[in-house]
Amino acid sequence: MEQHRTRPPQSPPLRRGAPLPPQAGRGGARTTRQAGAGVPRTAPAVSPLVQAVRRFPNPRLTGLGSGLFCAAVMFALACLDALLFGSSLVVYGVLFLPVCALTAVWVRRADLVTAVVAVPIAFAVGLLPIADSSGGFFGRVMGLVTALALHAGWLYGGTLVAGLIVTVRKVRMMSRRAAQRRRAAA
């Protein structure tokens, strides 16, 4: 698993009681934050929908974490589907779409591609409790293959949802980086 540094490797370790540099506010020069301290700021108007979305949890899952999340949720939803709806593959497919969207939204930026890979695997894992199973192990395998073949539309739709969300996130990330480079060059 990748661990990111919180401090650049060139900076010396911080010590208690060490004198602060002038930009920390003790020197004679005022920083831009101190210069505008008395001016009240007005926040831009935000719609109620945006405020509601900001209240949702915003976890950042690793590639493995997003795969495990998606597979575990789909398996749990399949078990609920088997109990409540008699193993309806249509209900399972409908529940698959929001799980795909959440997986694509909650994966870390560094692991965006893994969401598109994890979603079809989770679909197959979730089919295990609801696929027709008669005739032992080979009967269960045949039921799983049949369910995958007959309900591939849900699989493709969920993968498409995850792929679109991941693509939009990647394009936004690349445009932010380009804007930062332009600002740094100017």
Side-chain angles (χ1 to χ4, degrees), residues 31 60 72 132:
T31 62
R60 288 293 164 219
D132 289 333

Side-chain angles (χ1 to χ4, degrees), residues 57-78 92 95-108 114-115 118-119 121-123 125-126 162:
N58 192 16
R60 288 293 164 219
L61 301 172
T62 61
L64 178 63
S66 65
L68 290 174
F69 163 76
C70 192
V73 170
M74 289 314 301
F75 188 82
L77 288 175
Y92 177 75
L95 293 173
F96 177 63
L97 298 177
V99 172
C100 293
L102 283 177
T103 302
V105 168
W106 285 350
V107 71
R108 290 186 321 173
T114 59
V119 163
I121 296 169
F123 186 83
V125 167

Side-chain angles (χ1 to χ4, degrees), residues 96-145:
F96 177 63
L97 298 177
V99 172
C100 293
L102 283 177
T103 302
V105 168
W106 285 350
V107 71
R108 290 186 321 173
R109 289 183 186 134
D111 299 324
L112 284 174
V113 175
T114 59
V116 180
V117 174
V119 163
I121 296 169
F123 186 83
V125 167
L127 281 177
L128 290 174
I130 60 175
D132 289 333
S133 60
S134 59
F137 175 75
F138 290 111
R140 183 168 294 276
V141 170
M142 283 308 298
L144 180 65
V145 170

Side-chain angles (χ1 to χ4, degrees), residues 75-97:
F75 188 82
L77 288 175
C79 290
L80 271 172
D81 180 23
L83 289 173
L84 299 176
F85 300 107
S87 299
S88 170
L89 288 171
V90 174
V91 171
Y92 177 75
V94 169
L95 293 173
F96 177 63
L97 298 177

